[in-house]
């Protein structure tokens, strides 16, 4: 059974702190790993990682994939209250021919206090 | 990123009635759309993959007669929750993809009384 595990499940920090969110996966037909941020409604796309060891960066957020360890981390530096959200990790898998699907982890609930 | 529109955002209905949720791709054609369900403090669970012009592919454990999916055009997929019951109350989210990136609708919160 395909599995994506995120840790920690929840995290409370103060503004300005740096956080690292973890994601590991045990799946078949792995293609890429995606990170999403979910506030009150739908998830918004952050990163897609396909190659191991190449860091992707967007402002204060960065992420990297380790295919040997079957894991990825998402770093947020100088956190702000607006970073409070659920961060979802998902493995993109091929599922027959050109079809594919996302398998999500349970998410990490990040709370940034002022 | 691509824009996916979902409607309605919130629906309350009586037990036994059917509810239709629409998912539209606004600036691209979507041959495939995905329907997810999310319970409070849980992750997104894929329910089915909607394919334009053909039958949807349902995940194991999802009742196809309960959750009817229609994908009649390249920009619209619908999910109908038939004879809804309180246990169907949940957050339903659709998505579509451009390349390998899935973009999500804003979700529909269904409350069945």
């Amino acid at each position: 059974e395909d599995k994506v595990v995120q840790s920690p499940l929840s995290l409370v920090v103060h503004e300005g702190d740096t956080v690292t969110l973890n994601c590991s996966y045990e799946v078949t037909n792995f293609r890429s790993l995606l990170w999403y941020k979910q506030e009150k409604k739908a998830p918004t796309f952050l990163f897609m990682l396909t190659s191991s060891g190449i860091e992707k960066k967007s402002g204060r957020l960065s992420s990297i994939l380790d295919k040997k360890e079957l894991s990825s981390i998402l770093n947020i530096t100088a956190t702000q209250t607006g970073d409070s959200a659920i961060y979802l990790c998902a493995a993109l898998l091929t599922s027959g021919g050109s079809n594919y699907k996302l398998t999500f982890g349970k998410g990490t609930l990040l709370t940034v206090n002022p | 990123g691509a824009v996916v529109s979902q409607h309605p955002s919130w629906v309350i209905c009586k037990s036994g009635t059917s509810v239709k949720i629409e998912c539209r791709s606004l600036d691209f054609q979507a041959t495939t759309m995905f329907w997810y369900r999310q319970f409070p403090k849980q992750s997104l669970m894929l329910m089915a993959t909607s394919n334009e012009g053909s039958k949807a592919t349902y995940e194991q454990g999802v009742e196809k007669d309960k959750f009817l999916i229609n994908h009649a055009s390249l920009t619209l997929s619908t999910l109908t929750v038939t004879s809804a019951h309180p246990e169907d109350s949940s957050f339903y989210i659709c998505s579509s993809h451009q390349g390998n990136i899935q973009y999500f609708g804003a979700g529909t919160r269904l409350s069945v009384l």
Side-chain angles (χ1 to χ4, degrees), chain A residues 36 38 41-42 100-101 104-105, chain B residues 38 43 59 97 102 104-106:
Chain A
Y36 288 86
Q38 185 177 24
K41 292 191 173 179
Y100 70 94
K101 65 177 187 179
F104 281 87
Chain B
Q38 187 177 33
S43 190
E59 294 299 301
H97 66 95
Q102 280 194 25
F104 288 85

Side-chain angles (χ1 to χ4, degrees), chain B residues 21-84:
Chain B
I21 303 169
E22 292 186 351
C23 182
R24 293 180 186 272
S25 57
L26 295 186
D27 53 359
F28 65 104
Q29 293 184 329
T31 53
T32 305
M33 289 185 173
F34 303 90
W35 288 95
Y36 294 85
R37 185 173 180 175
Q38 187 177 33
F39 290 104
K41 298 186 181 180
Q42 297 286 321
S43 190
L44 279 75
M45 297 295 295
L46 179 66
M47 298 174 66
T49 302
S50 169
N51 304 299
E52 188 268 335
S54 65
K55 289 183 181 179
T57 305
Y58 289 81
E59 294 299 301
Q60 195 172 11
V62 178
E63 297 176 59
K64 59 179 71 172
D65 294 331
K66 173 78 174 174
F67 299 101
L68 298 178
I69 289 173
N70 185 281
H71 193 154
S73 78
L74 286 171
T75 59
L76 174 65
S77 175
T78 61
L79 168 69
T80 301
V81 183
T82 61
S83 187

Side-chain angles (χ1 to χ4, degrees), chain A residues 1 3 10 15 19 22-24 48 51 68 75 91 94 98:
Chain A
E1 185 186 339
K3 194 165 57 172
S10 67
E15 266 191 321
V19 297
N22 302 289
C23 175
S24 64
M48 182 172 75
S51 301
K68 190 177 175 186
N75 283 319
T94 53
S98 59

